[in-house]
């Protein structure tokens, strides 16, 4: 009985946070998006190795809440004036939200998961561009 209500509330909360996170990412320079891509891959890997990936960033005593604290912590850090803290917060938020929406019951969180997948793909492509640019020889301008 409460599960659909909890899922609806969580979908709304993630949706509100998503708009701010996405706006922050779109405002980043290409170089900072590349850095964010690296941080996000690292956070996704760390979360994947844990027993409960959707609880990544959550303190052990808060394990039995309806959802973890990772997105809240990441969201607060993402709003920081310090760029490095903000990038790490966005990466944490993306990783936890990805795992939380990945196998969620019902269809309420499916739109958020699709948006996350799209954004993660964009970050991965930005990362691939950076890697391929490193291998290209630099051409000096003729004097």
């Amino acid at each position: 009985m409460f599960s659909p209500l909890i899922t609806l509330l969580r979908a709304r909360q993630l949706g509100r946070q998503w708009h701010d996170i996405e706006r922050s990412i779109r405002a980043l320079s290409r170089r900072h998006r590349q850095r964010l891509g690296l941080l996000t891959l690292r956070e996704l890997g760390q979360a994947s190795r844990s027993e409960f990936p959707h609880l990544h960033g959550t303190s052990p005593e808060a394990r039995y809440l309806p959802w973890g604290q990772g997105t809240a912590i990441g969201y607060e850090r993402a709003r920081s004036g310090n760029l490095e803290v903000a990038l790490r917060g966005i990466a944490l938020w993306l990783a936890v939200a990805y795992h939380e929406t990945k196998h969620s019951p019902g269809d309420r969180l499916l739109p958020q998961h699709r948006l996350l997948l799209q954004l993660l793909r964009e970050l991965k492509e930005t990362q691939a561009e950076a890697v391929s640019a490193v291998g290209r020889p630099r051409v000096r301008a003729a004097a």
Side-chain angles (χ1 to χ4, degrees):
M1 170 126 179
F2 291 105
S3 182
L5 179 60
I6 289 173
T7 305
L8 175 65
L9 293 173
R10 186 59 176 163
R12 285 187 179 174
Q13 183 179 35
L14 287 176
R16 281 191 304 269
Q17 291 177 351
W18 165 256
H19 290 294
D20 291 340
I21 293 289
E22 183 184 30
R23 192 174 320 122
S24 296
I25 293 170
R26 301 285 181 216
L28 293 172
S29 68
R30 178 173 295 284
R31 191 178 105 224
H32 290 121
R33 266 187 259 143
Q34 291 168 348
R35 172 91 173 113
L36 175 62
L38 282 173
L39 291 170
T40 302
L41 285 174
R42 192 186 79 199
E43 287 291 342
L44 282 166
Q46 288 176 349
S48 295
R49 287 188 292 278
S50 70
E51 185 178 357
F52 302 105
H54 66 284
L55 296 177
H56 179 63
T58 301
S59 61
E61 56 273 2
R63 267 203 155 147
Y64 301 103
L65 295 173
W67 53 79
Q69 300 168 324
T71 53
I73 293 167
Y75 183 71
E76 285 304 312
R77 289 179 185 167
R79 298 173 64 193
S80 171
N82 181 315
L83 181 62
E84 186 63 25
V85 171
L87 289 176
R88 290 178 183 274
I90 292 169
L92 175 63
W93 191 93
L94 290 171
V96 174
Y98 168 81
H99 284 291
E100 187 175 325
T101 60
K102 184 177 178 182
H103 297 294
S104 64
D107 294 336
R108 295 277 187 198
L109 295 175
L110 190 58
Q112 279 89 357
H113 188 68
R114 287 185 181 143
L115 290 171
L116 279 164
L117 287 175
Q118 180 181 359
L119 184 65
L120 290 172
R121 187 189 76 236
E122 290 175 25
L123 288 174
K124 184 177 178 180
E125 289 170 357
T126 303
Q127 196 61 35
E129 290 172 10
V131 169
S132 68
V134 170
R136 291 186 204 141
R138 293 187 182 183
V139 178
R140 284 190 176 179

